[in-house]
Amino acid sequence: MLALPLLVLLASAGTGPAAGLAVIARTLFPCYSADLKPVSEVLVSARGCTVLFSVEPRAAGTTAAWEYESGARKELIATLVPNKSAEISRAYVGHARLSEMDFSLQLVLRWWNGGFYRFRSESEATGWLELRVVEPLSEPEILGNSFVEVGGDTKLYCNVLEGQVDVYWWKRNGKLLMESNGLQFIHNNTLEIHRALMNDTGYYTCIVSNAVSHNETSFLLRVHRIFNWWRLRNSPDDDLTF
Ligand SMILES: *[C@@H]1O[C@H](CO)[C@@H](O)[C@H](O)[C@H]1NC(C)=O
Ligand SMILES: *[C@@H]1O[C@H](CO)[C@@H](O)[C@H](O)[C@H]1NC(C)=O
Ligand SMILES: *[C@@H]1O[C@H](CO)[C@@H](O)[C@H](O)[C@H]1NC(C)=O
């Protein structure tokens, strides 16, 4: 991964990025909880969001294009020829828009848009800007038994179907849980409760987050006393017979 930007730079050394000429990119509002600050090297954004790529105002009257590269994939996204309307390449139609005023490019992200972007005119090219496209997290589901006997053990799994989770958090009745004698986190997505107490009853929330989103869900766990037939039958103060 580290070698890639270097290779791309070497490969483009012939045309040479003009000193100081850079692409500025930012994610447009609204976009989950993605950072909306403009950047000039690496932008992390979310699938479904719109990214605006811009360059300093160019001299009018030159042919210009936005280019994309990722490994062996090289594509022209959009081209602008003087006195003609902007042309969007087939794979980007409906997802890209080029401004003929300032040459800025708007792209509605699909997951395969991750890669390197630059702007090039007849006389100069910008450096490459890296775009990382992260899948926003869907609502997790908590899997496990909703009843456990007092003194018993149980596990709650937090399962997320869409997106890759960076961090998991667990809460009980709104309070953040820490690992303790009775609680253990396994593979970050599993909460193990050992020797359950009556007061372990409550709403358990799994909170998940990654660079562009967070999501959560809750689950009611009830701890109940063991229903003891033996004690019931031998209890001196009732005369139940079976
Ligand atoms: C959580 O995921 C659901 C889809 O599973 C989505 O509709 C919702 O907006 C997400 N919540 C947040 C806070 O992003
Ligand atoms: C759990 O998360 C921590 C950081 O939050 C990470 O270092 C660790 O590798 C994760 N473990 C597993 C099994 O995913
Ligand atoms: C539950 O009860 C135990 C023992 O009575 C106590 O140590 C623990 O702090 C209680 N936990 C909560 C969440 O109230």
Side-chain angles (χ1 to χ4, degrees):
M1 198 59 222
L2 261 180
L4 194 55
L6 191 63
L7 282 178
V8 168
L9 274 176
L10 287 176
S12 65
T15 52
L21 190 59
V23 175
I24 305 290
R26 68 186 173 94
T27 304
L28 299 183
F29 181 82
C31 175
Y32 306 94
S33 45
D35 190 354
L36 305 179
K37 281 200 303 284
V39 301
S40 59
E41 280 174 13
V42 181
L43 179 72
V44 179
S45 195
R47 185 183 56 76
C49 293
T50 303
V51 164
L52 175 71
F53 297 91
S54 51
V55 283
E56 286 147 35
R58 311 284 75 230
T62 68
T63 300
W66 282 96
E67 298 177 336
Y68 168 86
E69 271 196 21
S70 177
R73 239 173 88 208
K74 296 183 203 296
E75 289 166 1
L76 267 183
I77 303 167
T79 46
L80 197 63
V81 177
N83 307 318
K84 285 192 179 175
S85 55
E87 194 175 316
I88 307 291
S89 304
R90 184 193 289 251
Y92 293 87
V93 169
H95 290 264
R97 215 165 66 202
L98 183 67
S99 157
E100 294 176 17
M101 301 287 290
D102 61 6
F103 295 166
S104 67
L105 174 75
Q106 278 190 32
L107 196 59
V108 180
L109 300 184
R110 291 167 290 178
W111 64 262
W112 62 86
N113 290 137
F116 295 84
Y117 290 78
R118 76 168 173 185
F119 177 82
R120 195 222 283 257
S121 70
E122 279 164 43
S123 54
E124 55 190 353
T126 66
W128 292 92
L129 177 132
E130 183 181 357
L131 173 68
R132 295 186 195 142
V133 181
V134 176
E135 181 78 21
L137 299 171
S138 61
E139 189 176 325
E141 53 178 354
I142 295 180
L143 307 174
N145 292 324
S146 38
F147 288 96
V148 58
E149 284 178 354
V150 71
D153 294 349
T154 194
K155 282 183 193 174
L156 299 179
Y157 302 92
C158 182
N159 188 34
V160 179
L161 292 176
E162 270 173 50
Q164 181 151 5
V165 179
D166 290 342
V167 186
Y168 291 88
W169 304 93
W170 289 91
K171 284 184 177 176
R172 177 172 51 214
N173 298 327
K175 274 184 68 183
L176 195 63
L177 291 178
M178 300 291 169
E179 209 153 77
S180 66
N181 289 342
L183 293 176
Q184 206 178 349
F185 304 115
I186 300 168
H187 303 305
N188 296 333
N189 71 339
T190 304
L191 174 67
E192 257 191 20
I193 299 170
H194 301 288
R195 296 178 300 283
L197 299 170
M198 287 307 285
N199 66 3
D200 284 326
T201 291
Y203 284 94
Y204 286 77
T205 306
C206 168
I207 303 155
V208 291
S209 70
N210 67 16
V212 299
S213 66
H214 60 87
N215 216 322
E216 60 177 65
T217 199
S218 294
F219 182 91
L220 177 60
L221 177 74
R222 294 177 206 264
V223 182
H224 63 94
R225 295 195 191 286
I226 303 163
F227 191 62
N228 193 326
W229 289 103
W230 185 86
R231 211 156 73 197
L232 197 60
R233 258 207 246 196
N234 294 277
S235 164
D237 50 23
D238 60 44
D239 54 347
L240 284 174
T241 48
F242 296 92

